Amino acid sequence: MKRLLIMGAPGAGKGTQASLIKNEYNIAHISTGDMFREAISNKTPVGLEAKVYIDNGQLVPDEITIRLVEERLKASDCKGGFLLDGYPRTIAQAQALDLMLKKLGIKLDGVINIKTDDLVLIDRITGRRSCPVCKEGYHIKSKKPTVEGVCDVCGATLIQRADDNEETVKNRLEVYHNQTAPVLDYYSKQNIVIDVDGMKDISDVFEEVKVKLGGNK
Ligand code: ADP
Ligand code: AMP
């Protein structure tokens, strides 16, 4: 059983590794970004509010995000372990998560930190293609689908995320360095950060993750 976080800059490869990890360890993958995009496409009140921030590359306010995660963590599929992807992104969110876990009587086993140079991130993000149905991620160079524009997993037509443009990426990187990097220090103090080299190929990054997490599924 694993209860994990995955952290890293936008485009570092969190979603890509999360998809591999969830299958390997059979745990729930909770991506706040995916949850917001789902809410936006369903035009829910949360989606309508979150859209403005996401389109500008800013963080959705803590209050909304924390409530979303608190509800999600109570779901039955999280009982066998989970991997939180893209949360927490602020110290306030990390503190709120500590409280949620305390209430549930559980602890985190580790925080996977995918380390990358900022220089590769623009290319990774502008080349990203995503499946709007099953959420599988692709890249026009490093992870091509078998048939161009079509999801290998479910056959849906791939899309480019509205916020995956160069202008928004600059904001997202700034937000990451200012607001999210301190969260890593927060967990370093608890000695639970597992650094992995995100500059390697997708499969090599995953090998490093598995070695460092250990075989205990
Ligand atoms: P994040 O969830 O951290 O924003 P993604 O997992 O969506 O990032 O990855 C961003 C893009 O980079 C995707 O198009 C993905 O296919 C690609 N990618 C992910 N990891 C690597 C890697 N190690 N090397 C090259 N490309 C990668
Ligand atoms: P992601 O899919 O992780 O790249 O997230 C896409 C966007 O959703 C981010 O740029 C934020 O605007 C928003 N978002 C995702 N997770 C969070 C979070 N934990 N806190 C605030 N905003 C978030």
Side-chain angles (χ1 to χ4, degrees), residues 32-34 36-37 53-54 58-60 65 86-87 89 93 161 163 172:
T32 41
D34 281 347
F36 283 133
R37 283 183 287 278
Y53 297 96
I54 295 178
Q58 301 298 331
L59 294 182
V60 178
T65 310
Y87 182 98
R89 270 172 147 106
Q93 291 181 15
R161 276 168 48 178
D163 59 340
R172 284 155 72 194

Side-chain angles (χ1 to χ4, degrees), residues 2-165:
K2 300 259 181 227
R3 297 182 184 107
L4 304 165
L5 306 186
I6 188 158
M7 294 191 60
K14 299 181 294 296
T16 303
Q17 295 302 321
S19 166
L20 297 166
I21 294 167
K22 88 165 178 215
N23 290 335
E24 178 76 16
Y25 295 95
N26 203 15
I27 53 180
H29 171 203
I30 307 173
S31 156
T32 41
D34 281 347
M35 289 170 82
F36 283 133
R37 283 183 287 278
E38 196 69 34
I40 290 170
S41 81
N42 291 330
K43 298 195 168 59
T44 67
V46 164
L48 293 176
E49 181 148 15
K51 188 176 186 313
V52 186
Y53 297 96
I54 295 178
D55 285 349
N56 286 309
Q58 301 298 331
L59 294 182
V60 178
D62 283 339
E63 197 191 286
I64 300 174
T65 310
I66 290 167
R67 219 180 317 130
L68 196 76
V69 171
E70 189 159 23
E71 282 308 308
R72 182 67 186 86
L73 276 179
K74 288 181 195 156
S76 59
D77 66 328
C78 295
K79 299 233 179 330
F82 57 81
L83 173 61
L84 265 170
D85 161 8
Y87 182 98
R89 270 172 147 106
T90 63
I91 294 285
Q93 291 181 15
Q95 288 167 338
L97 178 63
D98 274 350
L99 269 178
M100 291 176 216
L101 297 177
K102 207 169 167 191
K103 273 195 220 161
L104 294 168
I106 53 180
K107 280 198 164 136
L108 291 176
D109 297 308
V111 176
I112 302 164
N113 175 37
I114 307 187
K115 295 177 77 163
T116 44
D117 284 348
D118 277 6
L119 288 175
V120 300
L121 299 177
I122 304 262
D123 179 65
R124 285 200 189 172
I125 291 178
T126 52
R128 169 160 55 195
R129 299 292 180 270
S130 314
C131 177
V133 178
C134 74
K135 319 296 178 209
E136 187 66 14
Y138 297 87
H139 191 277
I140 53 169
K141 289 183 235 159
S142 60
K143 192 184 167 198
K144 293 181 185 174
T146 313
V147 179
E148 197 185 323
V150 178
C151 179
D152 286 349
V153 179
C154 74
T157 302
L158 302 179
I159 55 153
Q160 182 165 22
R161 276 168 48 178
D163 59 340
D164 278 353
N165 58 72

